[in-house]
Amino acid sequence: MQTPPFTGTSATIREVGLRDGLQSVATIVGTAEKCRWIDTAYAAGVREVEVGSMVPARLLPQLADTEAVLQHALQLPGLVASVLVPNLKGAERALAAGAHAMIVPLSASHAHSLANLRKTPDEVVAEVARIRAARDAAGARTIIEGGVGTSFGCTLQGEVAEAEVLRLLQALLDAGADRLSLADTVGYADPASVTRLFDKALHLVGDRLRYAHFHDTRGMGLANAYAAWQSGMRGFDACLGGIGGCPHAPGASGNVATEDLAYMLERMGVATGIHVPALLQLRQQLQHWLPGETLHGSLWQAGVIGTSVKPAPRAAAI
């Protein structure tokens, strides 16, 4: 058993909009625009970005240019560029492309796992073992992250037991994952359940649990992030403009907005290294890249306290 080692007043926000966000919208954003998104987020202080997914283009044409976007991201000093990999084949692509980290998604919900990956949770664990063997054989330093989704419940299955989530976290480490993340894929969590699960998870695996991933589906995304912070989490996923969801989880709309989360943490005295007004300006640009798509979040409507930067007019960022 380990106890949470986290101290200090800083946190890392990983921008996952280029993967988790864009996979759920119909509009295909061009490679040049994606690279501009990364450059602008980097200039605003973002230092971790999930740039795409190593899946067949026929399944997610929105992410067909992941290798090209990754190569651009790798040129920015100090930026950690990660990709999602659903299986060994995807991991081999990530290794060949030089990704800093690859995230292997696992659903604690058996029903969602079959719908999303066509594998049971334990079959995904076995795939992680194969990915670890391939990574080590290649002599690569790419980090393997086991991402446990539907950790608080699932639209397809309903309740997911805490004991099953904890079992899968340990199983992923035993299979060779370097680090872990926990996700509320369909917005089932509430602050009390977040506290219970993250307290237990951190006690079990300590600082190998690196990221918390929340959706704002039912308006509790920021409250859940705060509860995870109170439990000891110092890494969070978020999407610019609150876009995103899961194609195989009905109702899984709206990730926590990067700009809202960064603003909340900064107001709490937690250093993120992110200049929030710059994110609000990038959000305005994102709306132009996603015409007709709905962006989410709250900060854009009122702006940042104590800054002369004004939010976009309501009609420009619906």
Side-chain angles (χ1 to χ4, degrees), residues 17-300:
L18 287 114
R19 196 278 301 175
D20 196 11
L22 294 183
Q23 75 174 12
S24 302
V25 299
T27 304
I28 295 179
V29 177
T31 304
E33 287 74 23
K34 291 179 183 178
C35 292
R36 199 172 309 141
W37 180 346
I38 292 172
D39 290 344
T40 307
Y42 179 81
V46 174
R47 288 297 178 268
E48 298 206 18
V49 178
E50 187 183 28
V51 303
S53 180
M54 296 298 189
V55 298
R58 61 181 174 79
L59 297 178
L60 285 176
Q62 304 95 319
L63 307 181
D65 57 355
T66 291
E67 273 100 345
V69 177
L70 174 61
Q71 291 309 307
H72 179 81
L74 292 175
Q75 305 308 308
L76 298 175
L79 181 68
V80 178
S82 59
V83 294
L84 182 141
V85 300
N87 49 35
L88 176 59
K89 185 174 182 180
E92 290 171 341
R93 287 175 57 190
L95 291 170
H100 293 133
M102 48 188 172
I103 303 158
V104 186
L106 179 153
S107 293
S109 160
H110 189 279
H112 181 261
S113 185
L114 291 174
N116 193 36
L117 296 168
R118 299 181 182 178
K119 294 184 177 70
T120 67
D122 288 301
E123 287 173 337
V124 176
V125 170
E127 191 78 352
V128 168
R130 288 188 281 272
I131 291 171
R132 174 60 184 260
R135 192 276 306 269
D136 292 351
R141 301 177 64 182
T142 303
I143 294 168
I144 301 170
E145 179 180 325
V148 181
T150 61
S151 296
F152 295 88
C154 171
T155 312
L156 300 175
Q157 177 176 307
E159 181 181 355
V160 173
E162 287 182 355
E164 176 67 357
V165 176
L166 297 173
R167 181 188 74 83
L168 291 168
L169 287 174
Q170 187 61 60
L172 285 166
L173 291 180
D174 293 343
D178 300 301
R179 68 188 189 196
L180 305 162
S181 54
L182 275 177
D184 177 27
T185 309
V186 294
Y188 268 38
D190 59 78
S193 64
V194 168
T195 297
R196 287 194 303 270
L197 182 57
F198 276 87
D199 282 353
K200 293 174 183 177
L202 287 167
H203 185 68
L204 177 66
V205 302
D207 64 355
R208 297 182 79 177
L209 178 57
R210 295 288 296 277
Y211 297 95
H213 181 120
F214 296 108
H215 285 226
D216 199 39
T217 311
R218 293 169 177 83
M220 288 189 280
L222 285 181
N224 292 334
Y226 177 74
W229 163 266
Q230 290 288 86
S231 289
M233 289 303 299
R234 297 296 180 262
F236 299 89
D237 288 346
C239 279
L240 186 70
I243 59 175
C246 178
H248 300 287
S253 61
N255 285 276
V256 169
T258 307
E259 61 273 21
D260 288 8
L261 178 59
Y263 182 69
M264 181 188 79
L265 291 171
E266 291 286 345
R267 289 288 292 178
M268 289 164 49
V270 179
T272 65
I274 295 174
H275 184 56
V276 177
L279 283 187
L280 289 176
Q281 293 177 342
L282 176 57
R283 186 189 192 281
Q284 294 179 30
Q285 185 62 59
L286 179 64
Q287 186 69 79
H288 291 297
W289 295 334
L290 296 174
E293 301 286 354
T294 299
L295 303 191
H296 303 279
S298 299
L299 186 63
W300 69 272

